[in-house]
Amino acid sequence: MALAEDLAKQQKSISVAEFFEKNKHLLGFDSPVRGIITTIKEAVDNALDACEEAEVLPDIFVSVRKVSPDAYRVAVEDNGPGIVPENVPYVFGKLLYGSRFHQIRQSRGQQGIGISAAVLYAQLTTGTPAMVVSRTSAKVPAHRFSLMIQTETNEPQVLEHEEVAWDRTHGTRIELEFTSSLAARKRLIDYLKYTAVVNPHARIRVEIDGEATTFERVSDEVIRSPQAIKPHPHGIELGTLKRMAAAMPEATLEDFLVESFSRVGKKTAEEIAGVAGLPPRAHMAAVGAEAQKALLAAMQSVHVPAPPMSQCLSPIGEELITQGLEKEFQLDFVKARTRPPSVFSGHPFVVEAAIGYGGKLTADGTAQVMRFANRVPLIYQQGACAITSAVSNVNWKSYGLSQAGLPNGPVLVLVHVASTNVPFTSESKDAVASIPEVEKEITLALQDLGRELKAYLSRRDRNRQQEDRARAVCAVMPVIAEKVAEIVERPVPDISAIEGRIMRRLVARKSVREGVVRIDVHNHTHENLALVIYDISSDAGEGAEPRPDFASDLDGEFTRVWNCALGPGEGWHAKYPGRGGGMLDVRGVDEARKVVVHL
C-alpha cells in the first residue's frame, strides 16, 4: 500500500505546452536546421490565411538575420487584417488557441499550434521573448507585445505592451530569436519558391543576411476564402454525435439532423430515423446511448449527397498552377489538371496535379516532385507520403519516360491535395497518409497528364526528325549544285526556288570560302518577317557588309547583330573577312519554321 501511495504522490497532470516542450519533434522542431524552416512556414501560412479571409492580395516580408554564431532572428510581416490587442497574447502565447479548429473548411492551419509552438521553441533555445506588432486599421495605433509562454499552465505571459508607430495601415509582424542553422538555406528558398507557385496571388519578399529575393505575384485576383460547412453524416464519430446531441436536448431528432448536418433534408432525416428505429419527433434528450449507436449506424448506411465542395474548398485552378510553374521554372512543356471533387470518410477533397518537362530542369536523375496540401508545400518526409507513392506507382515508361521508382529526366511533377481535413501522418504535417480515395484521384490525374506529356514528346521527336532532314537538305543541295555546275561547266544555278518549294521555311546559312565569311538568309515562308540575326565567333569582322546594327567584344568573342525585314521569297546577305565557326541564330520566326545551317 505504501508503494501505491508513493506512486500516487508522483502523479500529476501536465499542460499541453509542457508536453510539446518535451516532444517538440512532433511539431517539426526536431533540429536547429529544421527549426528555422518550420518557424517561417507557420508564420507565412498564418499570413496567407489572414490575407485571404480579409480578401486582400498578400504582401509578405520574411527576414532572417544572424545575431550570434549559433542564433538567428526571424521576422515575418504581412498586410492582413491584424489581430485585436486583447487576442494577441493568446494567438501567439497559448497552444491550441485558434479560430479554425471547429470549422469545416479548407485552411492552412487548424489546431492553433503552429506559431505558438515556434514561440515556445524560441524561448526554449535562447530564452528570448517573442516580439509581436499588430494593427487593425489606419484609425488606431499599432500595438507591440513582448511575450512568452508559461509552460506549466499553457498561458501567455506578457512582458511588455505598448502602442507604437508603424508604417503599415493594417497587418501583423512577429520576430523570434532562436538557436538554429542556415545549413538548409536552399531548402528554405525552395519552400518560399514553392509557396509562390501555388499562391500566385501573393508577393513574397525574403532577405537572408542582407541577400534579397522577391517572388512576384502573377495574378491580381483575390482568392475566395472558403466558407465553413456543417459536418457530414458519413464523417462523424460516436463521441462527436453524443456531444452534439447534448447541446440540443430540446430539439426533435428530425430537426437535430436537418440543422446539424450538411446535405440532410427532412426526407433524408426521416429515412435515417426509420433505419435507426427511432421516431422522428423524439426529443434528443430522450435518445439514450444505445439509440445513439443505432442512429450513428443509420447515418453511415443511408445515402447522403456529398458535401457542398464549391463552398468549403478553394482549389488553385489549372490556369494559375500553369502560370506559377512557368514563372519559376521556364518549362518547355507544362500542363495542369484539377480533378472533380471527391469524398473520403465524409471529408470533401480535390486533387490537382501538374507536369512540366524540359526548360531549366536538370536532365539527369529522378524527377522533381512537389507536394502540397491546402496550398502549403510539404518539404520533409517525402518517402513516407502517399503523394510520392502514387507518383512512383504510375507506369511512366508507357508515357515516354524512363523510370526507377520515380520517373527520370528533366521532369517536374506537382500534386496538390485540398481538403477540409487533410489526412496527415503526424502533427508536423509533413506527409499525406495513405487514403485509398485520395491515392486513386492522384493516380487518375497523373495518368491524364502522362498522356498529354506523351503526345508532346511524340510531336517533339517528329519535329526534331523534320528539322534534321531539313538541315541535311539545306546542307547538301548547294554542294550538289556546285558539283553539277562543275561537271557541265556552267555557272552555279540559283537553287533558292527549288529550296523554297521543298522547305517552306526561313533558311539561314553561314559559310566560309577563301577567307570570307558569308551569311545568307532566305525567307521561303508566306509571311513578312522582322528578323534579328545574331552571329558570334572569334572573328573581329572588321569591314563587314552591311555594317552590323550592334557589335561587341567580350574576351575575344565577337558578337554582331543585324536587323532586317524580309517579305515572302526575299533574301538577305552579309559578309566579312574571317575563318568562320562560332554560332549563328535568327530571331523573329517560330523555331519550327526556321533552319540554320553551318557549311
Side-chain angles (χ1 to χ4, degrees):
M1 189 66 178
L3 178 59
E5 292 176 351
D6 290 340
L7 291 174
K9 293 177 182 179
Q10 300 175 25
Q11 295 171 346
K12 63 176 183 177
S13 65
I14 62 171
S15 74
V16 65
E18 283 184 291
F19 174 79
F20 285 120
E21 182 181 35
K22 297 183 181 298
N23 297 278
K24 53 184 178 290
H25 62 282
L26 295 176
L27 303 177
F29 295 94
D30 51 348
S31 70
V33 173
R34 186 173 174 184
I36 196 168
I37 297 179
T38 302
T39 297
I40 292 174
K41 171 184 175 296
E42 297 295 350
V44 170
D45 288 353
N46 283 1
L48 289 168
D49 267 336
C51 289
E52 287 179 13
E53 289 177 2
E55 296 186 347
V56 298
L57 290 171
D59 194 349
I60 300 172
F61 173 70
V62 178
S63 171
V64 181
R65 290 188 297 110
K66 192 172 186 178
V67 294
S68 71
D70 61 348
Y72 286 82
R73 190 163 190 82
V74 169
V76 178
E77 182 179 313
D78 66 62
N79 62 329
I83 304 169
V84 294
E86 54 267 28
N87 280 6
V88 169
Y90 296 99
V91 171
F92 295 94
K94 185 181 179 72
L95 277 78
L96 297 179
Y97 183 90
S99 61
R100 306 184 189 102
F101 184 75
H102 297 291
Q103 295 185 11
I104 302 177
R105 66 184 179 94
Q106 176 186 333
S107 66
R108 296 172 180 83
Q110 286 278 202
Q111 300 94 343
I113 290 179
I115 196 62
S116 51
V119 173
L120 179 63
Y121 180 71
Q123 73 182 49
L124 284 176
T125 57
T126 64
T128 305
M131 298 293 296
V132 180
V133 180
S134 185
R135 190 177 186 183
T136 56
S137 80
K139 298 178 181 179
V140 298
H143 290 257
R144 182 170 64 190
F145 292 82
S146 174
L147 57 87
M148 302 181 77
I149 298 176
Q150 300 180 63
T151 55
E152 299 84 359
T153 60
N154 187 34
E155 292 294 331
Q157 179 184 6
V158 178
L159 305 180
E160 294 181 14
H161 175 206
E162 60 179 340
E163 294 182 357
V164 295
W166 198 27
D167 57 353
R168 283 195 184 271
T169 56
H170 53 81
T172 305
R173 177 186 176 92
I174 180 170
E175 294 186 21
L176 296 169
E177 186 176 314
F178 46 81
T179 300
S180 189
S181 166
L182 267 180
R185 180 191 185 108
K186 182 182 182 301
R187 183 164 285 187
L188 171 58
I189 294 295
D190 284 345
Y191 160 74
L192 295 171
K193 181 178 182 178
Y194 296 170
T195 299
V197 168
V198 293
N199 295 278
H201 63 302
R203 177 189 294 114
I204 303 174
R205 296 176 294 132
V206 56
E207 288 185 5
I208 302 179
D209 279 342
E211 184 178 334
T213 304
T214 300
F215 300 98
E216 291 289 351
R217 63 172 58 95
V218 296
S219 171
D220 292 326
E221 180 181 350
V222 177
I223 298 298
R224 177 189 60 83
S225 180
Q227 302 301 308
I229 62 170
K230 299 174 183 177
H232 193 270
H234 293 173
I236 196 168
E237 296 175 330
L238 183 59
T240 305
L241 178 62
K242 287 183 176 181
R243 175 174 53 79
M244 294 173 66
M248 300 178 64
E250 300 301 322
T252 64
L253 174 58
E254 181 181 85
D255 291 341
F256 169 73
L257 292 172
V258 172
E259 295 175 13
S260 301
F261 295 97
S262 174
R263 297 295 198 188
V264 175
K266 286 191 174 184
K267 184 177 179 180
T268 305
E270 290 175 358
E271 184 180 356
I272 292 173
V275 173
L278 299 172
R281 304 309 299 172
H283 288 278
M284 292 308 297
V287 180
E290 292 302 318
Q292 288 176 353
K293 290 182 180 179
L295 178 61
L296 179 66
M299 292 168 62
Q300 304 290 345
S301 63
V302 171
H303 172 72
V304 181
M309 312 285 189
S310 60
Q311 179 180 339
C312 61
L313 297 180
S314 178
I316 305 163
E318 296 177 4
E319 183 178 352
L320 289 179
I321 291 176
T322 301
Q323 289 178 3
L325 287 173
E326 287 178 335
K327 175 176 72 79
E328 298 298 338
F329 293 96
Q330 292 83 50
L331 301 163
D332 294 335
F333 166 85
V334 60
K335 288 287 183 180
R337 283 289 180 275
T338 298
R339 291 285 302 166
S342 190
V343 180
F344 73 92
S345 301
H347 303 296
F349 74 96
V350 168
V351 166
E352 300 182 284
I355 191 165
Y357 188 89
K360 294 186 177 181
L361 296 177
T362 304
D364 300 326
T366 58
Q368 182 175 342
V369 178
M370 300 171 64
R371 301 171 296 130
F372 299 88
N374 287 354
R375 297 178 182 260
V376 177
L378 307 181
I379 303 296
Y380 294 95
Q381 297 186 21
Q382 176 171 304
C385 187
I387 293 175
T388 307
S389 176
V391 174
S392 299
N393 290 335
V394 172
N395 182 14
W396 293 103
K397 293 180 181 179
S398 63
Y399 302 121
L401 298 176
S402 60
Q403 182 176 10
L406 294 174
N408 296 321
V411 184
L412 178 152
V413 179
L414 179 152
V415 176
H416 173 229
V417 178
S419 176
T420 58
N421 183 25
V422 177
F424 292 112
T425 57
S426 67
E427 293 86 347
S428 60
K429 299 183 288 187
D430 289 319
V432 176
S434 296
I435 303 296
E437 295 90 338
V438 176
E439 290 182 314
K440 176 185 176 182
E441 288 298 311
I442 295 173
T443 300
L444 290 174
L446 294 177
Q447 288 174 339
D448 193 10
L449 292 169
R451 289 188 285 270
E452 293 270 9
L453 177 62
K454 182 179 181 180
Y456 163 77
L457 293 176
S458 298
R459 288 194 303 271
R460 185 200 63 175
D461 292 342
R462 286 196 301 270
N463 291 338
R464 187 172 292 169
Q465 289 178 350
Q466 291 175 359
E467 290 175 6
D468 290 343
R469 291 169 183 166
R471 195 170 288 109
V473 169
C474 291
V476 170
M477 283 183 64
V479 177
I480 294 176
E482 290 181 4
K483 294 298 182 183
V484 171
E486 182 179 337
I487 293 172
V488 299
E489 297 181 347
R490 299 285 298 274
V492 178
D494 181 6
I495 62 171
S496 59
I498 301 173
E499 187 179 68
R501 284 197 297 272
I502 296 175
M503 302 305 303
R504 296 302 179 192
R505 302 186 185 192
L506 180 121
V507 178
R509 288 192 185 87
K510 183 177 181 179
S511 60
V512 58
R513 176 175 294 180
E514 297 178 355
V516 177
V517 178
R518 183 178 174 87
I519 299 173
D520 298 285
V521 180
H522 290 277
N523 179 13
H524 298 306
T525 74
H526 296 293
E527 298 178 3
N528 293 311
L529 300 177
L531 305 175
V532 182
I533 300 162
Y534 295 84
D535 177 39
I536 303 174
S537 70
S538 59
D539 296 323
E542 295 178 356
E545 298 178 4
R547 185 176 179 180
D549 296 291
F550 170 82
S552 69
D553 173 15
L554 181 62
D555 297 329
E557 187 175 71
F558 296 88
T559 300
R560 289 163 290 276
V561 180
W562 291 273
N563 294 291
C564 73
L566 294 180
E570 294 181 349
W572 177 92
H573 312 279
K575 61 180 181 179
Y576 58 83
R579 295 174 296 176
M583 185 272 288
L584 175 66
D585 192 19
V586 181
R587 308 284 174 84
V589 61
D590 188 90
E591 292 291 326
R593 302 185 64 191
K594 74 177 181 182
V595 179
V596 179
V597 182
H598 291 260
L599 298 177

